[in-house]
């Protein structure tokens, strides 16, 4: 079965420090992986995706994610956190062999401390 | 592009009343998804359509919930009768099924439903 796990409900990081939000996945084939961000009282916004090719994917607002097939992970990273990065982050996976459905993680709340 | 449009943005109703949520997907998108978000259960997929046809409605919680997509530019999610436990934020999202199928979903701003 397809699934995605975000092991941390909450991540706190000081402004200016690097941040990592973790995601692991489980799909039967080669996954399509996505990161979304949700600011308060807003819908989810697409950040970046991995489909194929280079394992390091760069996205919006300076975020990047690294696809690691051996560890079945797709962690979201940013070299220097901003207070404005504080939000809820969702990882999602889609197995292209089983239709168009996305499977979202439970979300990780990121707080960047000034 | 205006993005995914949802209406109303807020809905307050009394238990037992019928509630209809509306969604207009992005023009040219051929997949549409309805999600529900609560603090307790997180983000849940309720149903999704491909080319106006419901593909998977296994997330629809009860028979009180129904969804339709009469054409490519409009979808509704109806709850009848509504109950307090239906209180949540309901999101609509759309995407385009490409030949590689890798297209991301675009979310609407959501409808915050409160059932008293």
């Amino acid at each position: 079965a397809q699934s995605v796990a975000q092991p941390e409900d909450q991540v706190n990081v000081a402004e200016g420090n690097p941040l990592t939000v973790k995601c692991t996945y489980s799909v039967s084939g080669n996954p399509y992986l996505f990161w979304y961000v949700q600011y308060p009282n807003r819908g989810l916004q697409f950040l970046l995706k991995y489909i194929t090719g280079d394992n390091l994917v760069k996205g919006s607002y300076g975020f990047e994610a690294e696809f690691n097939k051996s560890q079945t992970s797709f962690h979201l990273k940013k070299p220097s956190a901003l207070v404005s990065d504080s939000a809820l982050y969702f990882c999602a996976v889609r197995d292209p062999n089983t239709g168009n459905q996305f499977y979202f993680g439970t979300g990780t709340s990121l707080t960047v401390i000034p | 592009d205006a993005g995914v449009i949802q209406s109303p943005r807020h809905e307050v109703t009394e238990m037992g009343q019928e509630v209809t949520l509306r969604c207009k997907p992005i023009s040219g998108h051929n997949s549409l998804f309805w999600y529900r978000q609560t603090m307790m259960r997180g983000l849940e997929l309720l149903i999704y359509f491909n080319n106006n046809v419901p593909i998977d409605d296994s997330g629809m919680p009860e028979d009180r919930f129904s969804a339709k997509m009469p054409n490519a530019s409009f979808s509704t999610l109806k709850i009848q009768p509504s109950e307090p436990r239906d209180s949540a934020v309901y999101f609509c999202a759309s995407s385009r099924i490409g030949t590689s199928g890798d297209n991301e979903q675009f979310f609407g701003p959501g409808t915050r439903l409160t059932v008293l």
Side-chain angles (χ1 to χ4, degrees):
Chain A
Q2 299 83 7
S3 70
V4 62
Q6 294 181 243
E8 300 159 318
D9 291 336
Q10 174 78 38
V11 171
N12 297 326
V13 63
E15 185 177 22
N17 282 4
L19 69 86
T20 299
V21 183
K22 296 179 180 178
C23 172
T24 59
Y25 66 90
S26 173
V27 297
S28 56
N30 294 320
Y32 295 159
L33 295 157
F34 304 80
W35 275 102
Y36 286 79
V37 60
Q38 185 180 27
Y39 298 102
N41 302 312
R42 298 287 185 91
L44 279 69
Q45 297 178 29
F46 169 74
L47 272 180
L48 50 80
K49 64 183 177 184
Y50 171 81
I51 304 301
T52 186
D54 194 350
N55 289 344
L56 185 63
V57 178
K58 294 186 183 297
S60 306
Y61 312 121
F63 283 93
E64 58 188 27
E66 186 170 10
F67 171 64
N68 188 317
K69 189 171 184 177
S70 63
Q71 297 184 4
T72 61
S73 67
F74 189 57
H75 300 332
L76 181 70
K77 300 181 180 181
K78 187 172 183 179
S80 179
L82 301 173
V83 173
S84 57
D85 293 330
S86 299
L88 189 58
Y89 290 82
F90 289 92
C91 181
V93 65
R94 178 174 171 271
D95 182 344
N97 296 317
T98 59
N100 199 33
Q101 185 173 343
F102 279 53
Y103 296 88
F104 281 88
T106 51
T108 297
S109 179
L110 172 69
T111 300
V112 181
I113 303 166
Chain B
D1 197 321
V4 176
I5 299 173
Q6 290 187 248
S7 65
R9 293 292 309 276
H10 302 273
E11 176 80 30
V12 180
T13 190
E14 292 186 346
M15 181 175 63
Q17 297 297 306
E18 176 181 303
V19 174
T20 299
L21 311 181
R22 297 172 176 80
C23 175
K24 177 179 170 56
I26 293 173
S27 178
H29 283 188
N30 51 8
S31 282
L32 185 140
F33 305 77
W34 282 102
Y35 292 90
R36 177 172 69 175
Q37 187 178 38
T38 61
M39 288 294 292
M40 290 295 295
R41 300 173 70 92
L43 190 66
E44 303 172 275
L45 175 67
L46 300 178
I47 184 172
Y48 80 95
F49 298 81
N50 283 352
N51 296 312
N52 312 339
V53 176
I55 302 300
D56 185 352
D57 65 354
S58 59
M60 297 285 263
E62 300 172 31
D63 291 345
R64 298 184 296 107
F65 286 69
S66 62
K68 295 182 179 180
M69 192 165 187
N71 57 62
S73 59
F74 184 65
S75 176
T76 60
L77 177 68
K78 183 178 293 186
I79 308 172
Q80 181 184 18
S82 59
E83 296 182 2
R85 59 190 168 129
D86 301 331
S87 298
V89 181
Y90 291 81
F91 289 104
C92 176
S94 70
S95 71
R96 186 173 58 243
I97 306 173
T99 53
S100 59
D102 61 347
N103 293 305
E104 59 271 24
Q105 295 184 6
F106 292 83
F107 281 74
T111 295
R112 183 175 295 277
L113 173 65
T114 302
V115 183
L116 303 175

